[in-house]
Amino acid sequence: MGWTGKILRVDLTKGTVKSEPLNMEWADKYLGQRGLASKYLVEEINPKCDPLGPDNKVIFATGPLTGTCASTGGRYSVITKGPLTGAIACSNSGGYFGAELKFAGWDMIILEGSSPKPVYLTVFDDDVKLRDASPIWGKSVWASDAWIKAEHQDPLMHVAAIGVAGENKVLYSCIVNDLHRAAGRSGVGAALGSKNVKAIAVRGTKGVKVKDFKAFMAATAAGKKTLKDNAVTGQGLPAFGTQVLMNVINEAGALPTRNCEDVQFEGAHDISAEAMAEPRKSDGKPNLLTNQACFGCTIACGRISKMDEKHFSVQNKPEYWHASGGLEYEAAWALGAATGVNDLEALTYTNFICNEQGLDPISFGSTIGAAMELYETGVIDSKTTGGLELKFGSAEALTKAVELTGKAEGFGKELGQGSARLTAKYGKPELSMTVKSQEFPAYDPRGIQGMGLTYATSNRGACHLRSYTVASEILGIPEKTDPLVTDGKAGLVKAFQDATAAFDSSGLCLFTSFAWTLDDVAPQIDAACEGKWTTEKLLEVGERVWNMERMFNNRAGFTAADDKLPQRLLKDAAKTGPAKGLVNGLGKMLPEYYQARGWTPDGVPTNETLDRLAL
Ligand code: SF4
């Protein structure tokens, strides 16, 4: 109940598929999706394996609430050893693919080995086949999605695919499902591409059973009411999407700008939610068409946009004149503030290409920011870039760079390695705004101190979705803390990390946590799943998952020395805004964090902690 109890294991080397029972003992300890699939990965691969080699595995995993009528219960995750980072990776996506996989009767798909030729997998309930992908190898996500649906004469299939970027093993390539929802971070697309897998297409007819139907309907209805009555999930996100944050974070002096040279962007309003809704001067129409929801979601934060057809990037390209997934806050920040570009249409086009070719816009935008600093400081020039004039603020350079990177052509090949490798190649590693080689997102740790500790300790490399202390430090959720101080942030980050790991293991979207605590989630899981599920048990699952991920990374070779931030954030004070004069206080927070976690001063979980968590 909740879980389907079945795993699909695909041996790509041999070309075989088989069904296995889900390990229910593990399900009781790790719940599902991020937690449970990470347990399988940890047990089945050598942490030191090459992430792009056949010994790595790629797991598509749902949670027990995926495919149910719980609000936002449509999530799935891709779990693997991350090509960008070498650390454990778990990238979460919405849309409809995850629910469809559950309807087909599977909790997870484990892909192992490597196919000798390009393939795609079709899953029609129990009818599972590997098929020849040569007609779509070299094609975009969007073209592949259309071809698969036409080939199988089924427009209701849901497809998760890589673009050319994943085929070319761009280290921050992603897996895109339902055209513009993505398992975005850590290069999970490259991991799939390295196995010669172009896509997975699913169609299910089985539905999802829950343990106690009446209790489940009551618990999910109560949860939906809480979401509706909350100002963020009931009003802010549906009306403005995550882009509601652009002006807020800019005013807080925490908008990383021009590769973190500044913490406020003079062009923030031009690329904000408000600007997306305003009629354009050029054609009198707004960029934003409507909002959109993932499966079962009552929040509907997604943005659907349509570009100005006369914009220089698309004026001769009618294939981009259709509506598509529009800008989310993280993408708008990375493609805009991080590069100094305030051209909303250029950002929208660049985001389209990221979706079309399967690129993570956060890592792409931040890498362009670093490349622009290399260019502006004379470390590289137009000979190095093949003619690209990578000046901060250049919309032309941004849009050209995304085309080259998506296809891995020219200087795009170097950009596709991410900013850590790019800046190291040119002798300036300090210009990479990364942790564990992953670019950090849209919150400057000088203006939001807790995010510094969040990035430094994130198990998948710098990330906001492992501990979103912005909720507390800026939005006052669940209670307001001062973003400019370090006091209390170690405990805050630990609490957010553990709760987030539980949310990510459930099948729910993390955005529900603006309104829900685990007290709201526990009754929904308890009514759906066998066993007794309480808030305390979910928190324990979250802490167990966090420590398990940490142990994997330690075995992969990471140490406390990797819990660090770029020197710029520790040495160069914020120049403007509320954080003017401040650097991030990681040095104070980190020892407090290790202690709060029950780890040694070297950042290793003690035996006592591992015993307590039954690890
Ligand atoms: S809140 Fe947004 S991202 Fe989350 S499930 Fe709903 S539409 Fe998708």
Side-chain angles (χ1 to χ4, degrees):
M1 302 291 175
W3 306 281
T4 68
K6 276 170 52 187
I7 292 177
L8 181 59
R9 190 176 291 274
V10 181
D11 185 326
L12 294 161
T13 307
K14 293 182 189 153
T16 58
V17 297
K18 71 172 179 180
S19 169
E20 283 178 17
L22 184 72
N23 185 324
M24 294 309 294
E25 206 179 303
W26 289 356
D28 192 57
K29 281 175 73 180
Y30 298 92
L31 187 54
Q33 206 163 324
R34 173 175 162 191
L36 188 52
S38 296
K39 174 66 176 168
Y40 274 86
L41 189 83
V42 165
E43 292 293 331
E44 295 192 10
I45 73 164
N46 180 343
K48 292 193 185 298
C49 74
D50 175 1
L52 296 175
D55 294 338
N56 193 11
K57 300 193 181 188
V58 178
I59 305 178
F60 285 68
T62 62
L65 295 187
T66 306
T68 69
C69 65
S71 184
T72 78
R75 312 294 300 190
Y76 78 99
S77 293
V78 179
I79 294 88
T80 189
K81 179 173 173 176
L84 182 66
T85 59
I88 195 161
C90 170
S91 289
N92 187 308
S93 182
Y96 288 73
F97 177 88
E100 199 71 24
L101 179 59
K102 201 79 175 286
F103 296 158
W106 304 101
D107 289 314
M108 294 184 204
I109 303 174
I110 300 179
L111 301 169
E112 54 193 31
S114 178
S115 172
K117 57 178 189 182
V119 290
Y120 70 103
L121 184 75
T122 55
V123 181
F124 298 99
D125 289 342
D126 295 332
D127 178 13
V128 181
K129 282 193 180 66
L130 282 168
R131 300 173 189 266
D132 177 20
S134 52
I136 47 175
W137 199 254
K139 300 271 194 265
S140 73
V141 168
W142 295 349
S144 302
D145 187 292
W147 184 89
I148 290 172
K149 286 172 178 164
E151 177 74 5
H152 296 279
Q153 288 294 290
D154 189 347
L156 297 180
M157 292 176 89
H158 291 281
V159 178
I162 57 170
V164 177
E167 292 177 20
N168 285 310
K169 303 176 194 67
V170 170
L171 288 180
Y172 47 83
S173 52
C174 58
I175 297 170
V176 180
N177 59 281
D178 302 299
L179 301 181
H180 45 245
R181 285 286 170 188
R185 304 230 66 196
S186 309
V188 296
L192 201 60
S194 74
K195 297 191 174 304
N196 266 330
V197 176
K198 180 69 179 175
I200 299 179
V202 293
R203 186 83 154 87
T205 61
K206 298 185 183 182
V208 179
K209 292 191 175 68
V210 295
K211 179 176 75 181
D212 182 336
F213 178 72
K214 275 194 181 163
F216 187 69
M217 293 308 287
T220 53
K224 286 172 188 173
K225 179 162 187 335
T226 304
L227 293 177
K228 180 168 174 272
D229 293 345
N230 180 278
V232 175
T233 53
Q235 295 158 31
L237 283 173
F240 298 106
T242 53
Q243 269 277 65
V244 71
L245 286 168
M246 185 63 75
N247 286 319
V248 174
I249 300 299
N250 193 45
E251 277 163 30
L255 192 69
T257 298
R258 288 177 285 271
N259 204 35
C260 289
E261 285 182 343
D262 297 294
V263 295
Q264 291 184 307
F265 181 37
E266 63 284 357
H269 176 79
D270 301 335
I271 58 171
S272 66
E274 291 83 346
M276 288 172 73
E278 286 164 7
R280 285 185 286 250
K281 286 199 185 95
S282 53
D283 64 0
K285 295 175 187 165
N287 174 281
L288 178 71
L289 285 186
T290 183
N291 64 338
Q292 193 180 59
C294 302
F295 174 87
C297 177
T298 54
I299 301 172
C301 79
R303 305 289 96 183
I304 298 295
S305 297
K306 188 172 181 307
M307 287 190 63
D308 174 2
E309 294 169 8
K310 294 197 173 53
H311 186 262
F312 76 84
S313 59
V314 297
Q315 60 186 356
N316 296 316
K317 301 176 186 168
E319 64 270 30
Y320 294 107
W321 293 354
H322 60 86
S324 188
L327 289 167
E328 312 293 336
Y329 169 61
E330 305 292 342
W333 160 77
L335 305 175
T339 64
V341 174
N342 69 339
D343 180 336
L344 182 66
E345 300 298 308
L347 270 53
T348 306
Y349 172 72
T350 307
N351 191 58
F352 274 25
I353 300 292
C354 285
N355 285 336
E356 185 186 25
Q357 294 299 359
L359 292 168
D360 167 15
I362 297 177
S363 279
F364 170 74
S366 183
T367 299
I368 297 300
M372 285 176 164
E373 189 164 355
L374 289 173
Y375 189 91
E376 296 258 14
T377 53
V379 177
I380 60 174
D381 57 21
S382 59
K383 276 195 203 129
T384 325
T385 64
L388 259 188
E389 293 198 28
L390 282 167
K391 293 181 181 160
F392 280 124
S394 170
E396 290 78 7
L398 177 76
T399 52
K400 187 69 190 156
V402 76
E403 292 166 359
L404 292 173
T405 307
K407 292 176 186 159
E409 288 176 3
F411 191 60
K413 274 190 200 157
E414 292 190 39
L415 294 171
Q417 295 298 297
S419 66
R421 292 162 177 88
L422 179 77
T423 56
K425 177 175 176 181
Y426 293 102
K428 294 283 180 187
E430 68 276 14
L431 297 187
S432 170
M433 298 301 122
T434 54
V435 176
K436 299 183 180 78
S437 299
Q438 177 155 285
E439 288 72 17
F440 68 73
Y443 311 91
D444 194 297
R446 292 166 289 198
I448 308 176
Q449 292 285 320
M451 291 309 286
L453 184 61
T454 290
Y455 296 157
T457 60
S458 167
N459 286 331
R460 71 167 183 177
C463 173
H464 58 300
L465 295 174
R466 287 296 174 271
S467 153
Y468 194 68
T469 62
V470 176
S472 168
E473 295 179 278
I474 300 295
L475 304 174
I477 300 170
E479 57 190 38
K480 186 81 174 79
T481 54
D482 185 343
L484 302 180
V485 305
T486 56
D487 292 349
K489 296 299 164 63
L492 187 75
V493 167
K494 177 186 180 296
F496 268 87
Q497 287 173 339
D498 292 347
T500 300
F503 272 93
D504 286 347
S505 301
S506 68
L508 298 172
C509 177
L510 188 58
F511 289 170
T512 57
S513 66
F514 287 119
W516 291 349
T517 67
L518 290 176
D519 288 339
D520 300 284
V521 176
Q524 300 183 54
I525 294 180
D526 189 56
C529 300
E530 285 131 36
K532 181 77 192 140
W533 291 90
T534 61
T535 300
E536 294 70 32
K537 180 167 171 170
L538 288 175
L539 262 180
E540 189 179 286
V541 166
E543 189 177 6
R544 183 178 295 125
V545 170
W546 192 266
N547 280 270
M548 174 178 65
E549 293 171 341
R550 177 78 178 189
M551 293 297 287
F552 176 93
N553 284 350
N554 287 354
R555 288 197 296 273
F558 289 93
T559 67
D562 298 297
D563 297 337
K564 62 182 182 186
L565 290 174
Q567 284 296 304
R568 177 165 284 175
L569 307 177
L570 304 172
K571 302 269 192 236
D572 300 349
K575 295 174 195 158
T576 60
K580 186 176 177 184
L582 284 182
V583 294
N584 185 264
L586 180 66
K588 178 172 177 294
M589 293 185 284
L590 198 56
E592 294 170 0
Y593 171 83
Y594 289 160
Q595 193 171 24
R597 278 244 165 257
W599 294 355
T600 69
D602 293 333
V604 178
T606 61
N607 287 338
E608 194 184 356
T609 298
L610 295 177
D611 288 347
R612 177 171 60 78
L613 296 170
L615 279 165

